[in-house]
Amino acid sequence: MNRKINGFSKLSKKAKMEWLAKVHLKNPKKGLDLMNSYMHIDQNIQKKHDEFIENTVANYYLPLGVAPNFLINDKIYTVPMAIEESSVVAAASKSAKFWLSRGGFKSKIISTKKIGHIHFTFDGEKNYLIDLFSRSKHDLIKSTELLTKNMRQRGGGILDVNLIDKTEKLINYYQLEVGFETCDSMGANFINSCLEEMAKFFRESIENEIKNVGSIDVIMSILSNYTPECIVRCEVACTIEELTKNDISESKIFAKKFKQAIEIAKIEPYRATTHNKGIMNGIDSVILATGNDFRAVEAACHTYAAKDGQYKSLTDCEISNDIFKFWIEIPLSIGTVGGLTKLHPMVELSLDILGKPNSHELMEIVAASGLAQNFAALKALTTSGIQKGHMKMHLLNTLNQLGASETEKEILQRVFSKTAPHHAQVVSAFNNLRNTQEGDFSND
Ligand code: MEV
């Protein structure tokens, strides 16, 4: 069957679904029924989903879970998390409960500046460009006045513009680096619009003057998702004694091993990647639930993790004077207004559950979720191992994959209530149960 098509985007949604099913699926009817069954019952809501992106043919669901008992800056939150991986919500809840009785999470905004660049080349004298820039800087900012009016009224806008010389790395390459404060919005559209306006003004205003001294070529104007000056820090701390329920020597061993696990993630990129992946389990799920851009947050966090020239842990730990301190410092450029916040009903719900936080408060919550996740992972890894808890949580997924009935699930969950079975053990128990049931049935 010919899979090429012209004008696909112009087809109606129904026609797109039918084409897709007919051309790509072995059982078109089954595929169509499935796509239709994932449409929202409320046409208005479905229309919003259809219009979030292009060529929508269905919805793709993720579970929305909540982790209660998060004490952050002396306020208790129930944290919404959208994620498909079992154990993540349970781990966050467990960590939150652990720290609830030990002072909770202390989160602090360090800085909130976002950055964008006009990337350009200039083949003339560097000093000429420096002089030209200092003469045009004021007008460059002024050229965006209309665009920045509302943001300035909210306390944000353009913070500064600097000329950056990158010619040592790439011939004739310079940047205009622009700093922004975008208040409660993530600000990507705002930043990009300002940059494009500035680039246009820059090009047009210097065109005549520059003719005899060289040529300027604007390559592109775009925000950077790396935001090393938009930083949140979150910390937990308690006495070593409080770390475990058992005697102090066990607490000391736990603290020591926990710190060693962090030290490993600070020098070994193989471990650091998995370590940070676990942190991102906690971060991305809250980012998704609150309608923020998890790809942007991921990109920023991983670049930040490599800022010293080697990829390493985003968390750190200190043991001093019998106090155990564990913290995270990450770049988070997120918003609580604009974007999906008023469009996606589940995003609105998530923000309501959090008590309608502003962007700073949401940064503090997200950082706590990442730290909680890492605490749970390292606690498990350095004591019982990760599989015990994970396989227990994963049991239902395995049983669903095997096609277990509700009764079979109930029986096998009871059987494994005190152990963490491996996949093969679940399969074998399931087969035994089925055989026994079939035996019972045939005896009837
Ligand atoms: C699994 O999604 C995340 C962990 O591998 C993180 C870690 O190893 O720190 C458990």
Side-chain angles (χ1 to χ4, degrees):
M1 184 115 33
N2 182 11
R3 292 186 171 197
K4 284 189 191 162
I5 182 167
N6 283 327
F8 182 71
S9 66
K10 306 275 183 314
L11 297 179
S12 69
K13 180 177 167 188
K14 188 164 173 280
K16 281 176 191 150
M17 290 163 67
E18 281 167 0
W19 176 86
L20 189 67
K22 196 170 129 210
V23 175
H24 289 268
L25 302 177
K26 277 208 179 85
N27 186 339
K29 181 173 176 324
K30 193 173 159 208
L32 270 177
D33 286 350
L34 193 60
M35 284 184 253
N36 277 317
S37 72
Y38 271 70
M39 298 296 176
H40 202 283
I41 190 167
D42 180 331
Q43 304 255 327
N44 287 327
I45 294 181
Q46 185 53 51
K47 190 156 186 317
K48 282 186 194 167
H49 279 69
D50 290 350
E51 290 171 359
F52 287 156
I53 59 164
E54 308 74 38
N55 297 342
T56 308
V57 291
N59 300 314
Y60 184 99
Y61 297 144
L62 281 182
L64 179 71
V66 292
N69 295 318
F70 261 93
L71 179 62
I72 306 169
N73 297 343
D74 301 322
K75 187 171 163 188
I76 295 195
Y77 296 88
T78 298
V79 177
M81 306 174 92
I83 188 157
E84 86 301 343
E85 184 176 331
S86 51
S87 298
V88 171
V89 178
S93 307
K94 222 169 153 188
S95 264
K97 192 84 183 285
F98 181 93
W99 288 106
L100 180 67
S101 55
R102 292 166 178 84
F105 298 81
K106 303 286 177 213
S107 275
K108 200 166 108 194
I109 304 297
I110 308 288
S111 50
T112 58
K113 183 177 168 181
K114 290 157 194 181
I115 285 170
H117 296 97
I118 299 171
H119 302 268
F120 68 97
T121 55
F122 175 63
D123 58 6
E125 264 295 308
K126 189 187 300 174
N127 284 340
Y128 177 82
L129 188 66
I130 293 171
D131 176 59
L132 175 72
F133 171 69
S134 69
R135 279 186 283 121
S136 11
K137 189 170 167 172
H138 176 75
D139 289 340
L140 268 172
I141 298 178
K142 217 159 169 259
S143 71
T144 62
E145 255 179 5
L146 246 168
L147 288 170
T148 57
K149 191 166 169 236
N150 283 343
M151 193 60 89
R152 278 185 283 123
Q153 275 164 5
R154 282 155 55 196
I158 293 178
L159 300 175
D160 49 37
V161 188
N162 289 299
L163 174 69
I164 315 276
D165 178 0
K166 291 273 172 179
T167 52
E168 270 186 21
K169 294 234 161 120
L170 192 63
I171 189 161
N172 296 340
Y173 172 41
Y174 296 88
Q175 303 168 338
L176 288 184
E177 184 173 272
V178 190
F180 295 88
E181 169 57 59
T182 60
C183 305
D184 281 332
S185 59
M186 191 261 191
N189 282 329
F190 169 73
I191 294 174
N192 288 335
S193 300
C194 288
L195 290 171
E196 287 191 3
E197 192 60 36
M198 276 175 134
K200 189 165 151 249
F201 177 84
F202 186 51
R203 222 185 293 117
E204 286 171 1
S205 65
I206 59 174
E207 222 159 40
N208 279 335
E209 173 173 346
I210 211 154
K211 254 182 202 144
N212 301 325
V213 289
S215 66
I216 279 192
D217 202 3
V218 172
I219 313 297
M220 59 189 159
S221 309
I222 185 79
L223 95 167
S224 172
N225 284 120
Y226 183 40
T227 53
E229 290 175 88
C230 186
I231 299 286
V232 57
R233 186 183 196 279
C234 181
E235 181 182 298
V236 287
C238 68
T239 61
I240 302 278
E241 202 172 358
E242 285 175 293
L243 276 175
T244 68
K245 284 197 190 113
N246 304 329
D247 62 33
I248 182 79
S249 64
E250 194 169 323
S251 288
K252 277 186 178 159
I253 293 170
F254 171 75
K256 187 172 168 223
K257 273 185 126 181
F258 193 99
K259 190 166 177 345
Q260 281 171 329
I262 299 265
E263 297 302 334
I264 291 170
K266 278 162 79 174
I267 57 109
E268 172 51 78
Y270 278 101
R271 174 56 204 151
T273 307
T274 318
H275 177 100
N276 288 345
K277 186 274 180 188
I279 294 172
M280 299 317 287
N281 280 343
I283 292 179
D284 285 347
S285 51
V286 186
I287 291 291
L288 259 177
T290 55
N292 277 285
D293 181 343
F294 71 93
R295 287 86 55 208
V297 169
E298 281 272 343
C301 284
H302 294 302
T303 311
Y304 196 69
K307 70 179 187 318
D308 300 328
Q310 186 196 300
Y311 188 87
K312 55 167 106 150
S313 166
L314 287 164
T315 52
D316 208 343
C317 171
E318 182 188 281
I319 300 166
S320 154
N321 298 328
D322 281 338
I323 300 289
F324 170 87
K325 226 189 241 179
F326 175 48
W327 67 92
I328 188 168
E329 196 186 278
I330 38 165
L332 276 183
S333 171
I334 54 177
T336 50
V337 299
L340 281 192
T341 51
K342 283 269 171 303
L343 293 174
H344 197 301
M346 287 299 117
V347 169
E348 247 189 309
L349 178 79
S350 296
L351 290 170
D352 277 352
I353 291 171
L354 291 172
K356 297 192 195 315
N358 62 21
S359 63
H360 291 187
E361 198 178 346
L362 186 59
M363 282 166 81
E364 290 166 352
I365 296 165
V366 171
S369 174
L371 188 67
Q373 207 58 236
N374 192 226
F375 181 75
L378 296 188
K379 190 167 187 284
L381 285 167
T382 56
T383 55
S384 57
I386 206 76
Q387 284 309 87
K388 188 164 171 248
H390 187 72
M391 290 319 285
K392 207 163 172 181
M393 295 295 164
H394 195 59
L395 178 61
L396 261 184
N397 281 345
T398 311
L399 292 174
N400 282 334
Q401 273 165 16
L402 293 169
S405 69
E406 289 309 310
T407 318
E408 287 166 337
K409 282 193 246 176
E410 253 173 54
I411 296 172
L412 290 169
Q413 276 184 300
R414 261 202 311 273
V415 168
F416 292 120
S417 66
K418 293 213 162 44
T419 51
H422 295 295
H423 185 80
Q425 288 172 295
V426 180
V427 175
S428 152
F430 171 75
N431 287 337
N432 284 342
L433 180 66
R434 269 273 159 103
N435 289 340
T436 322
Q437 282 171 327
E438 274 163 18
D440 288 349
F441 190 66
S442 57
N443 284 342
D444 284 344

